Amino acid sequence: MRHSTFTGEVDIDYVLRKSTTRSDILVISFPGAGGDRFRADALGLGYMMTIGQFNVNALYIKNSSKDFARSWFVGFEGDFAIERTMIELVRFACQETGATRCVGIGSSLGGNTVLYYGLKYNWDIISGGARAKKGYIGQLIRDMVPTAKQNGFDKHVYMCWGRGEPMWINQTEAPSLVELFDKSGVPYKMDLLNYSVHANISKMFPAIIK
């Protein structure tokens, strides 16, 4: 499947696939940082084959620049050119497909990315194995949770981790993020899966999407 390039303040490579029959849903899929060695597609377009089984429009973001992974597909401190261009691309995709509802999907680094965009832009969220304290974007996510409802967030949040992986065992990581959701009264659903190696989220996440 050929990708296209959206040009804004930065260039973003993507694939946009329209549903076979009309759908008001646009799924935005972000890849992880570690490549797609466990995923069925070889293009680096996270979970393309799984999402393709559903009658939805889908926007696959390609990890085509090392800066994208380093910036968590959002931006560096004080520079949000990637985010602004990403939102322009999402709006373009909604116009092209007629979608009115966005669902962000991603695991690992992509799990953080969808938490950030979902909370900020009121998307439904399916996040697997998010690095809950990792870097600048991790802190931005934590800053958004307490005021998410006041800022109009009213969508669904699903999160999962492996019960034996470091992000769940370390109480300052995922457990503290879940606690923050609880304290802030932001509804969510959560599962603990049976794996302990973080990379295995890529093997288990397709079943979660379904």
Side-chain angles (χ1 to χ4, degrees):
M1 185 179 292
R2 292 181 60 187
H3 73 258
S4 302
T5 300
F6 185 87
T7 300
E9 295 179 65
V10 299
D11 290 342
I12 299 176
D13 291 339
Y14 70 96
V15 170
L16 177 62
R17 188 182 60 206
K18 296 182 181 180
S19 60
T20 53
T21 59
R22 183 171 176 79
S23 170
D24 65 350
I25 297 172
L26 176 69
V27 174
I28 304 119
S29 177
F30 290 92
D36 293 277
R37 58 191 180 278
F38 296 122
R39 295 175 186 150
D41 64 281
L43 296 177
L45 301 167
Y47 308 113
M48 180 170 66
M49 295 183 69
T50 302
I51 298 168
Q53 298 174 38
F54 301 96
N55 181 41
V56 294
N57 306 292
L59 174 63
Y60 305 99
I61 306 301
K62 188 170 176 59
N63 191 1
S64 55
S65 167
K66 62 182 180 181
D67 283 344
F68 288 170
R70 294 199 343 253
S71 67
W72 301 78
F73 292 89
V74 173
F76 300 98
E77 290 196 48
D79 180 2
F80 293 93
I82 295 172
E83 176 182 348
R84 290 190 294 269
T85 305
M86 193 71 69
I87 293 304
E88 288 179 11
L89 171 56
V90 170
R91 289 172 179 158
F92 165 77
C94 286
Q95 291 171 355
E96 288 291 300
T97 61
T100 57
R101 174 185 169 195
C102 292
V103 180
I105 289 179
S107 65
S108 191
L109 180 150
N112 278 61
T113 304
V114 298
L115 280 171
Y116 177 86
Y117 280 107
L119 291 168
K120 187 169 183 178
Y121 295 99
N122 205 30
W123 300 353
D124 288 296
I125 296 167
I126 303 176
S127 170
R131 301 296 302 273
K133 279 190 68 178
K134 187 72 173 180
Y136 177 53
I137 302 307
Q139 187 57 54
L140 289 178
I141 293 168
R142 288 174 179 269
D143 290 344
M144 281 193 287
V145 174
T147 58
K149 291 178 69 176
Q150 296 94 302
N151 291 332
F153 181 79
D154 60 1
K155 296 299 188 290
H156 300 93
V157 178
Y158 174 83
M159 300 179 287
C160 64
W161 288 273
R163 65 178 68 253
E165 71 171 314
M167 271 75 74
W168 185 255
I169 292 174
N170 184 342
Q171 293 298 306
T172 67
E173 284 272 358
S176 66
L177 178 63
V178 172
E179 182 180 3
L180 185 58
F181 270 82
D182 287 333
K183 288 181 178 178
S184 305
V186 179
Y188 65 90
K189 292 184 178 180
M190 190 197 79
D191 284 324
L192 290 179
L193 308 177
N194 290 320
Y195 70 87
S196 57
V197 177
H198 178 66
N200 285 347
I201 183 63
S202 293
K203 295 179 178 179
M204 305 187 77
F205 204 58
I208 296 296
I209 295 172
K210 294 178 181 179

